[in-house]
Amino acid sequence: MLQVSHRDQNTLASTKAIILVGGPSRGTRFRPLSLDVPKPLFEVAGHPIIYHSLKAVAKVPGLREVILVGYYDEGVFRDFIKDASLQFPNLRIQYLREYKALGTAGGLYHFRDAILKGKPERIFVLNSDVCCSFPLNEMLKLFEDKDAEAIILGTRVSNEAAPNFGCIVSDSHTKRVLHYVEKPESHISNLINCGVYLFATECIFPAIRTAIKRRTTRPRLVSYPSSENLETSFIAEDDEDSQRPEILRLEQDVLSDLADSNRFFVHETRDFWRQIKTAGSAVPANALYLQQAFQAQSEELTPPSASIVPPVYIHPTAHVDPTAKLGPNVSIGPRAVIGAGVRIKEAIVLEDVEIKHDACVLYAIIGWGSKLGAWSRVEGTPTPVSSHSTTVIKNGMKVQAITILGKECVVGDEVRVQNCVCLPFKELKRDVSNEVIM
Ligand code: GDD
């Protein structure tokens, strides 16, 4: 934690945080789980994805206000905000809804009056779909040390994975960002944008305004490369959405301009970082947050024992037979019932799931209210720790590495489900592998 003097408290009090939560149409790769819950509220390590970002924000000294910006319906975050406000009483949390998707900078600009209320000097901007240790205080320190206009959180990935992200070329000595390219076509750097920023308010809003002016005088001819269309190989040159002048992306429209100033710096984290895009990516995110909680000796986790290989989270209302063996990296949701002799490893079991005796669940997500029969086996394939993908190549074909059962699926006794994605309400009576069950 930063040590802060009384004088600094006042300065730090003028920092706010914005979490970009996106909206329903963006959750398509998170299917089938996003059919039943908005992605930011999906639970990993016992808490909604955005709870983990809020927890980090709550540790920034003097930060009092968090604004979730997105285009989900008004009511979607109501209960979450109510609960989170009790857990983080030092934070005022509100949700501001864009009338339609305005892009990562468009929403910020649209709500600039609300954001600038109280005259904050700095704003943190966090993508909601990343899992990391959020070293916000280190970013704040770099911001102060360099008298910066902007700080971006960066991490190193393999050269192969880098073009799926925003790439940063920096001066390794001064940490200054020299060049920024969003999802470049050829290799420029393996230091990538983690989707976490700290901006001086006096700099970011004028920078967005400049981008708006440029868009009006010089509209784009091709669409933005988003990871959505990279994944599906769909290059939307005539995609109406990306052509709308009100859509503004921080990454494509603003960050490369900031790199032209000499007050844009990168804080490179060596701690964990992952994107949460596909439903399968919730499994590594669950593991990473559980490991973080274990290192912090969190009392939320179940103590290690002969049948608990840490880290494991079991909701207090779940019932786990003492002969079941769980872990590592397992979360068990509310009211789940886990029978005798069950084995669960690297998995998320959601609320009201029932798993009968001697079943085995590995590298999988078991959807709300699903039922697994006795001696059944639901399993995915482990992905390398360093991988930023949740698919693997098998017999020359790309297959899902994590097996996912949607809400209220039923797996018969002794049935084996391997590397599959199963839509809600399906009943599996025979063995299946490498299939999407619709
Ligand atoms: N409020 C709001 N409005 N949020 C949005 C909108 C919008 O119109 N569009 C996207 N978001 C949110 C998403 O919910 C997500 O949290 C974040 O902004 C980024 O989403 P994408 O636009 O899909 O970008 P990306 O994930 O392909 O790439 C971004 O994140 C990577 C790190 O995860 C870029 O910032 C990359 O440079 C970066 O490497």
Side-chain angles (χ1 to χ4, degrees), residues 26 69 98 103 128 166 180 182-183 193 227 251 275 277:
R26 296 220 143 238
V69 177
E98 292 160 32
S128 60
Y180 179 88
E182 183 64 18
K183 303 183 181 105
N193 172 7
S227 62
E251 301 85 344
Q275 252 187 339
K277 285 289 181 198

Side-chain angles (χ1 to χ4, degrees), residues 155-165 167 187 189-192 386-388:
T155 192
R156 300 269 170 196
V157 299
S158 65
N159 286 350
E160 205 182 33
N164 295 322
F165 302 99
C167 292
H187 177 81
S189 163
N190 68 348
L191 179 61
I192 61 128
S386 59
S387 169
H388 284 271

Side-chain angles (χ1 to χ4, degrees), residues 205-347:
F205 291 102
I208 299 177
R209 206 169 299 126
T210 306
I212 293 173
K213 276 196 196 133
R214 190 174 47 227
R215 287 290 296 278
T216 336
T217 52
R218 201 154 34 91
R220 264 172 200 278
L221 294 178
V222 290
S223 77
Y224 299 109
S226 138
S227 62
E228 298 274 331
N229 50 39
L230 273 178
E231 179 88 357
T232 56
S233 312
F234 169 63
I235 306 300
E237 296 210 319
D238 56 357
D239 177 345
E240 272 178 40
D241 264 10
S242 57
Q243 296 297 311
R244 280 198 272 118
E246 65 270 47
I247 291 200
L248 275 172
R249 294 251 173 110
L250 215 41
E251 301 85 344
Q252 292 88 342
D253 297 313
V254 183
L255 293 187
S256 48
D257 283 2
L258 291 181
D260 293 338
S261 86
N262 53 9
R263 289 169 66 200
F264 184 18
F265 298 88
V266 54
H267 174 73
E268 187 180 331
T269 177
R270 294 183 202 284
D271 225 338
F272 67 94
W273 180 86
R274 280 290 182 295
Q275 252 187 339
I276 310 178
K277 285 289 181 198
T278 59
S281 57
V283 166
N286 180 59
L288 291 166
Y289 280 137
L290 285 174
Q291 285 158 22
Q292 185 187 42
F294 187 64
Q295 274 160 20
Q297 298 181 337
S298 163
E299 290 185 356
E300 276 182 4
L301 298 186
T302 310
S305 68
S307 57
I308 297 291
V309 185
V312 170
Y313 168 84
I314 302 175
H315 191 274
T317 58
H319 180 267
V320 178
D321 189 278
T323 61
K325 186 169 178 184
L326 270 52
N329 303 325
V330 168
S331 291
I332 307 287
R335 299 176 302 278
V337 178
I338 314 295
V342 164
R343 178 72 178 104
I344 308 179
K345 183 171 137 177
E346 304 283 349

